[in-house]
Amino acid sequence: MKQRQASRWKSQLGKLPLQISALLSGLIVILILGFLIQQAWPALSEVGVLRLFSDGTWNPTEQVGGASFGMTAMLLGTVFVAGGAILLAAPVGLAIGLFMRFYAPRWLASPYRHVIQLLAGIPSVVFGLWGAVVLVPLIGRYQPPGASLLAGILILGMMILPTVALLAETAIASVPAEYIRASVALGMTRTHIIGKVLLPNAMPGLMTAVVLQTGRAIGETMAVLMVCGNVVQFPGSVFDPVRTLTANIALQMGFALDLHRAALFGSGLILMSLVVVLVWIGHHIQAAQEGSHG
Amino acid sequence: MNPITSQTTSVSSPSLPLTCMSNPAACILQPASMTVTDLSVFYGDHQALDKVSMEFSAGLVTALIGPSGCGKTSLLTCLNRLVQMVPTSRVTGQCFMDEFDVMSPTTDIISLRRQVGMIFQKPNPFALSISRNIELPLISQGIKRHRRHEIVEEVLRDVGLWDEVKDRLHRSALTLSGGQQQRLCIARALALKPRVLLMDEPCSALDPIAAGRVEELIRKLRSCYTLVVVTHNMAQAQRIADHVGVFWASDEGRGGQLIETGPCEQIFEQPRHKLTAAYVQGRQG
Amino acid sequence: MAENVPSILDQGLNLDALVDQRGLFWDRLVRVFVYAAAGVVAFVFLAMVWQLVRLGAGQLSWSFLTELPQNAGREGGIFSILISTLMILGVCLAASVPLGLASAVLLAQTQRQTLFAILVRRSLDVLAGVPSIVFGLFGNAFFCVYLKMGFSILSGGLTLACMALPILIRTMEMAIRSVPQEVHHASAALGMGPIRTWVTLILPAASGGLAAGLVLGIGRALAETAALIFTSGYVDRMPESVHDSGRALSVHIYDLAMNVPGGEANACATALVLLIILWLLNSLTHRLIGRWLGRRLIYT
């Protein structure tokens, strides 16, 4: 009896370091949030949240006429670039997923999937490099200056495309094979099987993929920084340069002081809340899916 | 025109009586007989079926029995060419539905599969509403909504499910019990007005009472459809079958072979092959 | 009988020729779109890799790897950059692997239902989605300023550790969960203590998956740029200790491409080095996962 109690005590003791580690891992998010708020506080209290959106321009270091902290143009830049990228990557990614699963000739499907996996592992800075060295001059030849919203959308779209394609394939593959066998045995056509059986069943997985990759597109810094031209303005056309929130942080963190620095942390806070919302939506979709299967 | 391809138009014509069970005389499309000759099936290097020749007579129930892994399901999936969904599969030999070559590359397999329905071991309704399950393949054929609703009622009545589900046609099919799901799958197949119905152990995933109802349904479907039923249950084969084919896995790893075929009574009472005798007796007790 | 039929899911499905007359138009349309997408994507990415090779391969040589950068990186090699990268990676792994493994063991042990596990898991999901530039902000404020580590390899490595943690924990937890419950039961039935069970049975059985998680984490850390610019800095000298600032490969690429006119060739060469490392790690992951799955088959 005593021995058993001792061993239980021992196993509880063995568990303690594990619990502490898990707690630490869980606390990092809180820590990040806390530090962002603490660092952004001067801007939030002195400048006010409202002015971050209502100020027409972004001139945080201006001495003469007073500094201004308007982030709306950059927020819109982020939304345009990320939205365009996902509009590009979602349909094409779905097509690639279908290609790998159903349309590719047998000898090609596996090598093609392998190539897509390799592409999914290319770091964003390499996409940015290729964009800056090849794509931007190419666009610039037709519509100067080249570094533009369009370049950002294309590069970011390319960057998230392989992951969207792989996730789409996984979502399609998770549709029970017996559904497909049943529809084939019922003499349904390929378009009908894909459109009426596969996609509706794969939809939650596809939506989760799109939502999470949207988060990635919003948070991406390097690729966008290197090809978008980084001018703070409302873009009049896709050929105009834009600056995103992330690029703004990367450009100005190095020399920002006081309120300026606090405002940058404030924009980090905005980015983080966008991502939290997206993760929450993604979970909601997943939970609904699990609920409907159970 | 090849009747295998002309089927689509005749089914979509709204004036056709869809089912013939209530009135066999009104049956426009007669059940078809199927014949296979020297049929072998390979998956990659693995051979699943070895040179099987047999006939499935029109309007009769043929049961395929034998131990697991001797190619019965593979034979079944050749009859509607579902086998070719497995990318590595290869089939040699011939298969005819009446006089039409099933294996011919020019066969319209969509139309073939609408004429040769299949019921799987595990009930596999789509995660959609009950009526939508039956309608989906009909939409694929371009049948109008009004006609589809009639068909849903007709086939649900045919499988004896109408009274049980008529108030909840728009609930998910997954809310049905296993036996109801299997009957829904049979109704779904009947909606296409097949001439042959393949059943791969249709009762093995069901409890005895539900299995009994499906068996009863099989007996009702006889003479309106040609039925080919794979089963492991000797007693069931005896109850439902007109003809029986006995399969056995060959020793040389060349897949399953047909060792004996004949009328039901003969197989069970005077088996000619000693393996058949051992098999039916071993399982009969 | 079904056991003889190869699983349809393993090899994709053959839906070829499932077309009837009425659906011909739509089938063609979908098919043309799918093939066009596959072709264009393959072409664009091949073009991308080819152009990087064309611009950078001329610079690649043994001495590129063993020489120090000169003239702001336009000339010379990337030796000090490689060393800094390795040191950042070392710090990152030293911090994240013990923490990650311990958390994964705990999460794999506890039921999904406990509030603690749910909270930890949810916060890790959010952590996985946090933009890397936000990690950069946090690392700068917390490690560099608050903990007074300054711009150093230590700050950068610890920031990366926070970033790599979610993916590490998720894959490691999956690896541990894939060890069948029977091993626990059998071991308990033989009177083995929990710690011995874990160390001698569970963790070795999960080692392939654990290694795969490790390699994935390394890949994520190597690919990172934005979080490093304001934590480990961009000094391209040879670091003397983890308290020095050091420039990672990815930061080097960024700096050469954006801030150094005439640095494109070396930027592309560095990108090639990074890609080769990442792709080697990628194939290693696949081999590990493959072997791990193979081992799992023996158990089941």
Side-chain angles (χ1 to χ4, degrees):
Chain A
M1 198 64 191
K2 214 175 198 174
Q3 202 178 0
R4 192 191 287 173
Q5 238 164 18
S7 85
R8 183 182 298 165
W9 190 78
K10 220 162 97 185
S11 83
Q12 280 301 315
L13 190 73
K15 237 178 163 171
L16 198 64
L18 300 184
Q19 275 166 336
I20 293 173
S21 328
L23 191 68
L24 270 177
S25 317
L27 277 180
I28 291 176
V29 161
I30 314 283
L31 202 65
I32 291 178
L33 205 59
F35 260 86
L36 283 182
I37 294 176
Q38 188 236 335
Q39 296 284 318
W41 191 249
L44 296 180
S45 58
E46 283 177 41
V47 181
V49 182
L50 206 63
R51 268 188 68 195
L52 293 183
F53 299 102
S54 65
D55 277 6
T57 53
W58 170 259
N59 272 321
T61 48
E62 190 69 44
Q63 301 297 324
V64 191
S68 61
F69 295 90
M71 291 182 184
T72 318
M74 293 184 287
L75 191 61
L76 274 181
T78 294
V79 170
F80 284 153
V81 174
I86 204 76
L87 283 181
L88 179 73
V92 180
L94 179 60
I96 302 281
L98 287 174
F99 178 75
M100 292 190 284
R101 198 103 208 123
F102 297 112
Y103 286 86
R106 217 165 102 63
W107 57 269
L108 186 62
S110 174
Y112 196 90
R113 183 179 301 112
H114 209 78
V115 168
I116 297 286
Q117 279 166 348
L118 288 182
L119 297 175
I122 296 181
S124 59
V125 70
V126 175
F127 279 100
L129 172 67
W130 182 75
V133 176
V134 178
L135 189 68
V136 166
L138 194 70
I139 297 176
R141 216 182 297 161
Y142 299 101
Q143 200 80 34
S148 57
L149 177 59
L150 179 66
I153 289 175
L154 288 176
I155 286 294
L156 209 50
M158 280 173 67
M159 195 185 107
I160 57 179
L161 178 72
T163 317
V164 172
L166 291 172
L167 289 173
E169 199 209 359
T170 315
I172 295 168
S174 70
V175 175
E178 63 224 46
Y179 287 3
I180 300 167
R181 232 176 326 167
S183 21
V184 171
L186 288 165
M188 289 171 68
T189 57
R190 175 163 63 183
T191 12
H192 263 96
I193 296 174
I194 290 174
K196 298 224 171 327
V197 177
L198 269 174
L199 294 188
N201 276 290
M203 200 42 85
L206 294 173
M207 292 306 292
T208 314
V210 165
V211 167
L212 292 182
Q213 292 309 302
T214 308
R216 201 173 140 212
I218 287 176
E220 177 48 39
T221 312
M222 300 319 292
V224 173
L225 176 65
M226 292 166 85
V227 300
C228 276
N230 301 320
V231 179
V232 187
Q233 63 173 5
F234 295 95
S237 80
V238 287
F239 297 108
D240 285 348
V242 290
R243 185 189 288 187
T244 64
L245 283 176
T246 50
N248 185 49
I249 299 175
L251 286 169
Q252 306 199 324
M253 247 318 264
F255 60 85
L257 294 168
D258 306 328
L259 269 188
H260 184 189
R261 184 178 152 94
L264 290 182
F265 274 88
S267 61
L269 211 52
I270 296 177
L271 282 171
M272 177 127 174
S273 25
L274 278 178
V275 167
V276 170
V277 169
L278 285 173
V279 169
W280 182 78
I281 294 176
H283 265 284
H284 221 70
I285 299 172
Q286 242 167 4
Q289 174 193 22
E290 273 156 25
S292 76
H293 275 294
Chain B
M1 199 200 263
N2 182 344
I4 288 188
T5 49
S6 69
Q7 170 74 2
T8 320
T9 45
S10 62
V11 163
S12 51
S13 145
S15 61
L16 269 184
L18 191 88
T19 58
C20 58
M21 281 164 56
S22 43
N23 179 10
C27 211
I28 302 277
L29 285 166
Q30 295 297 323
S33 71
M34 296 199 79
T35 323
V36 297
T37 318
D38 283 339
L39 199 73
S40 300
V41 179
F42 303 84
Y43 300 108
D45 299 331
H46 171 79
Q47 185 172 5
L49 199 63
D50 184 33
K51 291 204 169 151
V52 169
S53 303
M54 75 183 291
E55 192 188 343
F56 307 99
S57 317
L60 295 183
V61 179
T62 308
L64 307 180
I65 62 174
S68 296
C70 59
K72 302 188 296 285
T73 301
S74 295
L75 171 60
L76 218 53
T77 55
C78 287
L79 299 179
N80 64 352
R81 284 183 49 185
L82 206 64
V83 67
Q84 90 189 33
M85 275 184 80
V86 180
T88 54
S89 65
R90 194 159 53 82
V91 179
T92 62
Q94 285 162 330
C95 174
F96 283 88
M97 180 169 77
D98 288 344
E99 67 271 28
F100 302 108
D101 186 356
V102 169
M103 292 299 167
S104 155
T106 57
T107 299
D108 175 356
I109 55 173
I110 298 267
S111 177
L112 170 73
R113 285 169 184 160
R114 287 173 186 165
Q115 296 188 58
V116 183
M118 185 165 187
I119 310 299
F120 295 86
Q121 179 169 8
K122 195 167 151 268
N124 56 0
F126 302 122
L128 300 167
S129 74
I130 294 169
S131 60
R132 187 88 179 144
N133 256 285
I134 299 172
E135 282 184 66
L136 207 53
L138 299 175
I139 294 173
S140 203
Q141 285 191 35
I143 295 177
K144 296 279 174 293
R145 171 196 291 258
H146 168 70
R147 178 74 189 129
R148 290 203 303 263
H149 290 321
E150 291 174 16
I151 295 176
V152 167
E153 180 172 346
E154 283 169 43
V155 293
L156 283 177
R157 281 192 194 283
D158 280 349
V159 298
L161 207 55
W162 177 252
D163 292 326
E164 294 166 52
V165 302
K166 65 180 175 211
D167 301 324
R168 44 175 178 150
L169 287 175
H170 299 289
R171 297 264 299 278
S172 165
L174 301 181
T175 58
L176 297 175
S177 72
Q180 288 173 321
Q181 285 186 13
Q182 192 64 299
R183 280 184 288 151
L184 175 64
C185 291
I186 296 175
R188 192 172 63 179
L190 292 184
L192 294 169
K193 182 114 187 82
R195 307 173 72 190
V196 179
L197 213 49
L198 312 172
M199 298 189 163
D200 186 6
E201 302 185 40
C203 303
S204 67
L206 309 179
D207 66 77
I209 294 172
R213 300 201 60 172
V214 172
E215 254 180 53
E216 197 183 307
L217 182 59
I218 292 174
R219 279 199 295 272
K220 247 173 75 185
L221 293 172
R222 183 178 171 274
S223 86
C224 287
Y225 304 92
T226 306
L227 286 133
V228 184
V229 184
V230 169
T231 178
H232 278 123
N233 184 333
M234 293 305 121
Q236 186 184 59
Q238 234 172 338
R239 283 193 298 270
I240 61 172
D242 300 299
H243 282 100
V244 175
V246 186
F247 286 76
W248 208 267
S250 67
D251 302 328
E252 304 89 27
R254 281 192 288 128
Q257 288 170 325
L258 179 69
I259 56 169
E260 185 168 357
T261 174
C264 185
E265 307 79 45
Q266 184 216 310
I267 296 286
F268 284 99
E269 276 145 36
Q270 294 147 340
R272 277 173 303 202
H273 199 289
K274 62 181 197 309
L275 283 172
T276 312
Y279 188 66
V280 296
Q281 272 154 20
R283 291 290 180 92
Q284 251 176 335
Chain C
M1 192 152 300
E3 64 268 24
N4 270 342
V5 182
S7 162
I8 294 179
L9 277 179
D10 290 349
Q11 341 191 357
L13 289 164
N14 184 359
L15 298 185
D16 291 354
L18 291 188
V19 195
D20 64 359
Q21 287 302 315
R22 214 158 352 84
L24 209 56
F25 171 75
W26 282 105
D27 192 78
R28 285 217 179 121
L29 194 71
V30 173
R31 196 172 52 195
V32 165
F33 178 64
V34 164
Y35 277 100
V40 168
V41 166
F43 172 77
V44 168
F45 279 104
L46 285 181
M48 176 177 159
V49 173
W50 184 76
Q51 275 157 341
L52 287 178
V53 169
R54 193 174 53 102
L55 289 169
Q59 310 291 316
L60 277 185
S61 64
W62 183 246
S63 61
F64 185 70
L65 299 178
T66 54
E67 277 175 18
L68 294 175
Q70 284 156 17
N71 191 7
R74 288 184 195 91
E75 292 151 34
I78 53 169
F79 186 60
S80 59
I81 314 287
L82 280 174
I83 297 298
S84 300
T85 308
L86 280 178
M87 286 170 76
I88 294 173
L89 198 60
V91 171
C92 164
L93 293 182
S96 62
V97 168
L99 198 61
L101 186 59
S103 309
V105 167
L106 185 90
L107 287 179
Q109 263 182 331
T110 50
Q111 306 304 320
R112 267 173 187 282
Q113 283 80 14
T114 69
L115 185 67
F116 179 69
I118 289 176
L119 285 179
V120 170
R121 229 174 245 131
R122 202 45 71 82
S123 73
L124 285 172
D125 284 340
V126 174
L127 195 64
V130 171
S132 54
I133 191 79
V134 173
F135 276 103
L137 286 176
F138 163 73
N140 183 278
F142 185 62
F143 295 117
C144 299
V145 178
Y146 184 76
L147 296 181
K148 298 193 177 66
M149 293 177 186
F151 279 55
S152 66
I153 286 172
L154 198 59
S155 308
L158 291 175
T159 309
L160 281 192
C162 298
M163 278 193 78
L165 210 52
I167 195 169
L168 268 181
I169 295 180
R170 194 175 305 160
T171 40
M172 286 180 164
E173 186 193 342
M174 259 162 53
I176 294 168
R177 274 187 192 276
S178 74
V179 178
Q181 204 62 37
E182 288 81 46
V183 176
H184 291 262
H185 295 324
S187 160
L190 293 170
M192 285 168 69
I195 292 175
R196 170 163 298 190
T197 308
W198 276 92
V199 174
T200 60
L201 288 175
I202 313 285
L203 292 183
S207 59
L210 295 177
L214 184 70
V215 178
L216 279 176
I218 294 177
R220 171 123 201 231
L222 280 182
E224 189 42 51
T225 315
L228 288 177
I229 298 180
F230 305 113
T231 51
S232 70
Y234 28 85
V235 176
D236 62 1
R237 278 194 311 273
M238 194 70 175
E240 274 158 25
S241 75
V242 290
H243 297 290
D244 277 359
S245 171
R247 181 191 282 195
L249 277 174
S250 50
V251 177
H252 192 55
I253 297 171
Y254 164 68
D255 199 58
L256 282 183
M258 298 304 288
N259 304 333
V260 182
E264 284 90 2
N266 267 2
C268 290
T270 314
L272 286 179
V273 172
L274 183 59
L275 280 185
I276 290 168
I277 297 175
L278 284 174
W279 285 348
L280 285 177
L281 285 174
N282 182 298
S283 63
L284 185 64
T285 319
H286 280 278
R287 194 148 310 161
L288 284 169
I289 289 181
R291 190 183 299 167
W292 162 47
L293 285 177
R295 188 200 307 247
R296 212 161 54 148
L297 283 185
I298 301 172
Y299 272 109
T300 46

